[in-house]
Amino acid sequence: MAHAASPSVSASASQTVDVDVVVVGGGINGAGIARDLAGRGLSVLLAEAQDLAMHTSSSSSKLIHGGLRYLEFGEFGLVRKALQEREVLLKSAPHIMWPLRFVMPHDPSMRPAWLIRLGLFFYDHLARRELLPGSRGIDLRKHEAGVPLQARFVQGFEYSDGWVDDARLVLLNALDARFKGAEVLTRSPVVAARRAAQHWDVTIATPRGERQVRAGALVNAAGPWAEQFLREVAQAADGETLATRHLRLVKGSHIVVPRCFDHAQAYIFQNPDKRIIFALPYEQDYTLIGTTDLEVSPETLSGRAKAQIEAQEVAYLCEQASRYFRRPVLPEQVVWSYAGVRPLLDDESGNPSAVTRDYLLETQQQGAPLLTVWGGKITTFRKLAQDAADEVCRMLRRRAPAWTSGAFLPGGDWSAWTGAPSGSPQDQFDHFEHFVQQVQQRYAFLPLALARRLARQHGARVAEVLAGVASRADLGQEVAPGLFEAELRYLQREEWACSADDVLWRRTKLGLRLTPAEREAVAAWWTK
């Protein structure tokens, strides 16, 4: 079987290309900036060394949240900015983002109830809310969230935030960037970037050979590698280093265990070390628990290997979750784990948990413009991208207004399927099951579970995934349970997937449900 070439390597490797901007890094910030700039009419090339969202941006706690705990560190500005962004994001892609209620059991030995009530008051009122209900106190002896908890927890608090499929959020931004004219190269590291007076000479190592690109501006959104990129790859015209700041690299790890509770709420647990962990409903049959804060050295990033969870982190997460649940969470129950390195701007805080999660955009104009993204978090990526695009346009003397605050991400508007008004985000959430029914009605040969997964994963773009599919036979071989060749070909053709891991752990989370033999069958498909 001959598979179509990935769009990530479609361009000729021999020609020199002129673009307005080269964006380095295919995580959430790089993809968001490329999308914003392309939507303003600039010519953009995004270069990612590996797969989109391969590291930090697929290793989060999967939350769109203001960051309740950051209030304790006085980060009111960051929390307000994140709270303002929550509903903007939830409205843009309701197939991969949706509201989530959180329950905090009160442990009097941690923080007094009055302090929690005060924090939740600020959380409710620092930014306007349209979709999300406010906080309230609850009696855990009567509330369904109290059932899986130890009997000593009788009082609790409930508040709202949101859930996101983080890896698909990155993917949707990259898709939208390409739809708006950007070129997106994966498996294509920038190996040289030399600054001239009016442009950057950029060399990109693509799978088909080196590409030479002349860019009016360079955006360094390399995440944990941002400082390293400035020290080792980007070169100033006078030979001086371009790195002016330092990152603190803090690893956050998560574990996935069989479902610990049956309801749809999430938990936020306070720990004796003054940290918090989340216990989140995950992929119907599982509970996601995290995260840790473990400072790591720059050597952790060598070779771009994925960060790995350590045994002590697994033990910590199990121990803290077991302080709350009636049934202990044990290391041997872990069915999957993942870790990511957060690139936090060094603010000289002694405690890794207290290091700011806010971002800084640094511009340098001693020659061709350079913008470096320091820090950041998923919830504020759209605002970061908008601010970055504003700066790039200013440096390039281009007038182009911001546009993303009311825009859907690809697949996010399924109003044509359901008849719900596209301007009514609550209807989007309320009508998801109606959307699923419409998908199954149009494709009657799809089992309900598959129709729901495709609708959740692709939203209104399910029609593109199933283009030319009129029967069960047209789906092609079922390579693994619930994964057919038609979808694999779409993921390869449209979503830059190049391997089984790309599909099973980033484009989907099907790897959780497959046996080693089934995962191997998906890997074998790519070699045919």
Side-chain angles (χ1 to χ4, degrees):
M1 178 187 304
H3 300 315
S6 164
S8 63
V9 295
S10 60
S12 167
S14 61
Q15 64 186 23
T16 298
V17 178
D18 285 282
V19 297
D20 293 322
V21 185
V22 166
V23 178
V24 181
I28 187 58
N29 291 331
I33 292 169
R35 174 198 183 218
D36 194 307
L37 286 168
R40 298 186 194 212
L42 280 72
S43 57
V44 178
L45 188 152
L46 170 66
E48 162 55 40
Q50 295 176 305
D51 185 28
L52 297 168
M54 185 161 175
H55 293 280
T56 308
S57 294
S58 61
S59 301
S60 76
S61 297
K62 324 296 184 193
L63 298 180
I64 297 294
H65 67 140
L68 181 61
R69 72 184 181 92
Y70 303 145
L71 292 174
E72 204 162 34
F73 299 112
E75 294 264 19
F76 287 88
L78 170 62
V79 174
R80 183 172 187 272
K81 182 162 49 181
L83 289 174
Q84 289 172 328
E85 282 297 293
R86 279 186 316 185
E87 296 199 3
V88 175
L89 296 186
L90 288 170
K91 294 173 185 177
S92 69
H95 56 308
I96 64 161
M97 293 184 271
W98 54 88
L100 185 61
R101 289 292 274 179
F102 286 76
V103 171
M104 178 189 290
H106 181 230
D107 184 340
S109 67
M110 299 288 103
R111 294 167 178 85
W114 69 263
L115 183 61
I116 296 173
R117 289 193 190 96
L118 180 63
L120 289 172
F121 174 83
F122 281 118
Y123 209 67
D124 284 343
H125 293 91
L126 278 172
R128 180 183 176 189
R129 288 178 289 109
E130 294 179 27
L131 299 176
L132 302 177
S135 62
R136 66 186 184 109
I138 57 174
D139 184 343
L140 291 172
R141 294 167 297 188
K142 301 176 181 177
H143 195 283
E144 63 178 349
V147 174
L149 299 177
Q150 295 174 21
R152 64 190 179 94
F153 297 107
V154 297
Q155 180 186 9
F157 302 90
E158 191 178 58
Y159 68 94
S160 295
D161 267 321
W163 169 267
V164 63
D165 183 331
D166 52 5
R168 289 209 63 79
L169 182 63
V170 178
L171 193 283
L172 294 186
N173 275 271
L175 273 178
D176 212 19
R178 193 179 73 205
F179 295 159
K180 290 173 169 56
E183 183 176 8
V184 178
L185 301 177
T186 64
R187 271 81 178 180
S188 301
V190 172
V191 294
R194 184 178 296 277
R195 189 184 213 169
Q198 302 296 325
H199 68 272
W200 286 88
D201 291 310
V202 181
T203 303
I204 304 172
T206 79
R208 290 187 173 179
E210 287 194 346
R211 286 275 302 276
Q212 304 300 322
V213 181
R214 196 161 37 238
L218 185 69
V219 173
N220 171 17
W225 291 273
E227 182 181 349
Q228 180 183 329
F229 177 80
L230 294 179
R231 296 189 185 281
E232 299 179 6
V233 180
Q235 298 179 4
D238 58 7
E240 293 294 316
T241 180
L242 293 167
T244 62
R245 300 178 185 272
H246 295 286
L247 287 173
R248 286 181 69 173
L249 304 178
V250 176
K251 184 174 67 169
S253 297
H254 297 76
I255 58 174
V256 176
V257 298
R259 189 169 58 192
C260 298
F261 47 90
D262 295 328
H263 57 77
Q265 288 101 322
Y267 292 98
I268 176 172
F269 294 151
Q270 303 173 81
N271 304 339
D273 58 6
K274 301 302 182 182
R275 296 196 66 256
I276 58 95
I277 64 168
F278 295 107
L280 309 164
Y282 191 61
E283 294 292 315
Q284 291 84 51
D285 299 319
Y286 304 94
T287 297
L288 173 64
I289 300 172
T291 182
T292 59
D293 276 319
L294 185 64
E295 194 151 4
V296 296
S297 68
E299 287 70 34
T300 304
L301 305 177
S302 62
R304 291 189 177 269
K306 285 185 68 65
Q308 300 294 321
I309 194 170
E310 298 176 34
Q312 69 191 62
E313 294 178 281
V314 175
Y316 171 83
L317 293 173
C318 289
E319 178 184 356
Q320 299 309 320
S322 297
R323 292 183 61 252
Y324 288 86
F325 287 127
R326 291 179 186 268
R327 290 181 298 175
V329 178
L330 305 174
E332 54 265 32
Q333 294 175 315
V334 174
V335 297
W336 184 49
S337 62
Y338 62 87
V341 176
R342 308 182 192 103
L344 306 181
L345 186 62
D346 193 352
D347 60 2
E348 300 184 353
S349 173
N351 178 2
S353 297
V355 181
T356 182
R357 266 58 174 175
D358 210 349
Y359 61 82
L360 175 72
L361 302 178
E362 181 183 26
T363 58
Q364 298 181 39
Q365 292 182 260
Q366 297 77 35
L370 169 67
L371 183 143
T372 296
V373 178
W374 300 104
K377 61 197 295 282
I378 279 205
T379 306
T380 54
F381 90 88
R382 190 209 62 85
K383 183 65 166 61
L384 181 155
Q386 180 174 287
D387 292 346
D390 286 344
E391 283 296 304
V392 170
C393 288
R394 178 188 63 79
M395 292 189 290
L396 291 177
R397 297 189 173 92
R398 298 282 291 272
R399 290 188 176 182
W403 63 276
T404 59
S405 64
F408 284 104
L409 283 161
D413 182 5
W414 56 71
S415 56
W417 291 71
T418 63
S422 62
S424 174
Q426 189 60 56
D427 280 347
Q428 295 283 75
F429 298 120
D430 292 344
H431 286 79
F432 178 74
E433 285 303 320
H434 184 202
F435 171 50
V436 172
Q437 292 169 12
Q438 294 301 306
V439 171
Q440 196 176 34
Q441 183 174 322
R442 182 180 298 187
Y443 306 100
F445 51 87
L446 292 180
L448 178 59
L450 179 56
R452 180 174 286 111
R453 180 181 72 77
L454 292 175
R456 181 60 80 189
Q457 183 174 318
H458 300 285
R461 283 188 60 78
V462 70
E464 281 72 25
V465 178
L466 298 175
V469 175
S471 68
R472 166 64 178 78
D474 291 338
L475 288 171
Q477 177 191 353
E478 188 172 12
V479 179
L483 181 62
F484 292 83
E485 284 190 293
E487 185 180 7
L488 282 169
R489 286 193 292 266
Y490 169 85
L491 296 175
Q492 183 184 49
R493 182 181 67 252
E494 299 293 333
E495 294 194 359
W496 299 276
C498 295
S499 72
D501 278 358
D502 295 351
V503 171
L504 297 180
W505 301 109
R506 287 181 287 281
R507 307 311 187 274
T508 77
K509 291 297 183 287
L510 288 172
L512 268 175
R513 303 181 181 281
L514 302 184
T515 67
E518 290 165 345
R519 292 197 290 268
E520 182 56 38
V522 179
W525 183 86
W526 296 90
T527 66
K528 292 181 180 178

